[in-house]
Amino acid sequence: MRHGRWIVLGWMVMATAVAQAAEDRYAETTDAIRKGDYQQITSVLVAQDGTPVYEQYFDDAGAEARRNTRSATKTVAGMLAGLAIADGKLPDVGARVLEHLPKRHRRDLQNDDPRKRAITVEDLMTMSSLLECNDENSFSRGNEERMYLVEDWVQFYLDLPIQGFPAWMPKPTDSPHGRSFRYCTAGVTTLGAVIEHAVGEPLQDYAQRRLFTPLGISQPEWQFSPLGLAQAGGGLGLRTRDLWALAQLYLDEGKHEGRQVISADWVRTSVTAKAHMQDGIDYGYLWWLMTLPEADGTVPVWAMNGSGGNAVVVVPSKRAVIVVTTTNFDVRQPHLITYKLIGERLLPML
């Protein structure tokens, strides 16, 4: 017993020393963020092997605040699509969108075209449907800001014309993975409506029952369309630790505390490249697939990204998750600021 007591005491001393060393390592990071070196960072959580090694809140809201991480919500929509397929509510990723929406959306479609009726759930999850929708182009008819000006966000998307591909724009058949990536919030908004109609309950209720409650996530703050549809395309308010739980679920191949919440197959296919955005960045099922620089090369990551530089990053090779929330909404190149913080100060500590 005496030897056992000393072993326990030894482990306690070692654990305290490790915790103190981690705190010292991150002290400079905390100081730099508080000084504003990375503008308006509101929280940072770094977890490795399922345990937080650094967690700081830089505003008065604290750990319980539901943080609007904007388009990081889209990745949650991809998780819900996978669950709807697993539940037999959607047949597969090839399910045709118009066949899984209320009939009112199929009547009198503007710019009707057989190719529109062939759009699938996979097209929406890979930002590659043939509808003319591009949030990065202010002239696009499907630009997100135009959607918010009308009442029915789903009909807004379905009524868009087919995308044209002039000579300077690669056609889908000439693109990596056979898809032309164009960032489109309205498509993911519509994906939310498809899931809701397929499962037969409000999207927010399905998300709570099948995803959030199993992960211990409570009181999420959804945004809604004027017609009451939970917005799958952005604006979901979650705690920093809730975001970590979602990312950790994928790092652990769909398991949470020994329970399979999402199938391992869905996790693997979701983080496999399905469309190409630019050098070093591909896109899975509403996951960004990126490579980040580090001292001896690069490291592949999966990310949930939202405007303002909000980011939830899974680093599989280091068994780690990094969550950064911000309010850098009016700052130039906010994503570069966040990934500068990650590359300069957070990744090197893992």
Side-chain angles (χ1 to χ4, degrees), residues 4 6 15 30 35-36 49 71 78 102 128 134 169 193 196 215 233 250-251 259 292 299 309 311 323:
W6 283 113
T30 300
K35 285 192 303 182
D49 293 319
S71 286
S128 60
N134 187 349
M169 180 183 294
E196 178 170 292
L215 296 183
Y250 269 58
L251 183 58
R259 174 186 174 185
L292 302 183
V299 58
V323 180

Side-chain angles (χ1 to χ4, degrees), residues 58-81:
F58 300 95
D59 60 5
D60 294 334
E64 292 303 308
R66 272 64 184 174
R67 301 181 183 280
N68 182 349
T69 50
R70 305 294 179 94
S71 286
T73 308
K74 291 180 171 71
T75 311
V76 176
M79 297 178 187
L80 297 178

Side-chain angles (χ1 to χ4, degrees), residues 270-290:
S270 295
V271 295
T272 299
K274 302 292 191 304
H276 180 71
M277 183 182 177
Q278 64 186 54
D279 288 347
I281 304 179
D282 286 319
Y283 206 68
Y285 286 163
L286 299 166
W287 280 94
W288 297 88
L289 312 178
M290 308 159 63

Side-chain angles (χ1 to χ4, degrees), residues 10 39 45 75 79 310:
Q39 303 287 344
L45 188 153
T75 311
M79 297 178 187
N310 287 284

Side-chain angles (χ1 to χ4, degrees), residues 224-235:
F224 294 87
S225 78
L227 296 181
L229 173 68
Q231 168 60 310

